[in-house]
Amino acid sequence: MNTGRLHEGKGLLDLIEAWVDVLAVDRSARLWLVGEGEFEGILRRRILDLGLEGAVVLAGAFDEMQDVLMAANVFVLPSYEEGLSLSLLEAMAVGLPVVVSDIPGNRRAVRDGQEGRCVSVRQPRALAKAILETFHGEAIERRGAAGRRRVATEFSLESM
């Protein structure tokens, strides 16, 4: 799952490319891209080009994100550049393990191997591998709990 504005700089084309490799291992995997934005048409065309209809869902916007996040197994944020992402913190706060691009904003919240996985930018194959390792790995609950603790202690309103 990914939430946020559908924008070119969010790395969503890389995530869609990675989903081909994810599906090669797990045909039941579904990717939800939650949000709206000017990049939606390009994403929709790429999904069709790769034959990923049904496996990748452009879900639109939701007023209440917590329920949507609670239904997910992994949160993925492959942005090319970004500050500290509120979407990332929301996902971590509900205990979702995360896979993020290795950029300064994401590294503020996620330590690779602890709260989630950090992957080089613009590397769909590496992204797919990290998603599969997170989704099927034994550390999924440990990383989700570590992320929830980190948000509570370092990024909550009280701590900030």
Side-chain angles (χ1 to χ4, degrees), residues 1 6 20 54 115 140:
M1 161 177 283
L6 304 180
V20 173
E115 294 82 18
I140 190 168

Side-chain angles (χ1 to χ4, degrees), residues 14 78-80 100-103 118-124 126-127:
D14 292 339
S79 297
Y80 301 146
V100 300
S101 53
D102 191 10
I103 58 174
C118 295
V119 178
S120 295
V121 175
R122 299 180 193 269
Q123 299 294 321
L127 185 61

Side-chain angles (χ1 to χ4, degrees), residues 52-68:
L52 297 175
E53 308 92 328
V56 178
V57 177
L58 292 170
F62 286 78
D63 290 333
E64 181 54 48
M65 286 307 303
Q66 186 166 357
D67 291 338
V68 176

Side-chain angles (χ1 to χ4, degrees), residues 8-146:
E8 183 176 7
K10 297 291 186 175
L12 299 176
L13 285 175
D14 292 339
L15 180 51
I16 290 170
E17 296 286 334
W19 214 253
V20 173
D21 289 348
V22 170
L23 288 173
V25 174
D26 185 346
R27 294 297 305 164
S28 68
R30 297 295 176 259
L31 172 61
W32 275 41
L33 301 177
V34 178
E36 298 174 327
E38 67 277 5
F39 210 53
E40 183 174 345
I42 292 168
L43 295 171
R44 191 172 304 284
R45 280 191 298 282
R46 191 64 184 142
I47 291 165
L48 291 172
D49 290 347
L50 293 172
L52 297 175
E53 308 92 328
V56 178
V57 177
L58 292 170
F62 286 78
D63 290 333
E64 181 54 48
M65 286 307 303
Q66 186 166 357
D67 291 338
V68 176
L69 290 168
M70 297 285 288
N73 294 338
V74 177
F75 181 83
V76 186
L77 185 65
S79 297
Y80 301 146
E81 56 182 55
E82 182 145 2
L84 183 59
S85 167
L86 179 57
S87 294
L88 174 60
L89 294 178
E90 287 173 337
M92 292 171 67
V94 299
L96 270 179
V98 297
V99 176
V100 300
S101 53
D102 191 10
I103 58 174
N106 291 342
R107 281 194 306 267
R108 286 184 60 200
V110 179
R111 295 169 292 194
D112 188 39
Q114 294 181 42
E115 294 82 18
R117 293 292 319 278
C118 295
V119 178
S120 295
V121 175
R122 299 180 193 269
Q123 299 294 321
R125 282 235 139 106
L127 185 61
K129 183 178 178 191
I131 291 166
L132 286 164
E133 287 172 357
T134 300
F135 190 65
H136 295 291
E138 13 184 281
I140 190 168
E141 289 187 26
R142 180 180 52 79
R143 287 184 183 152

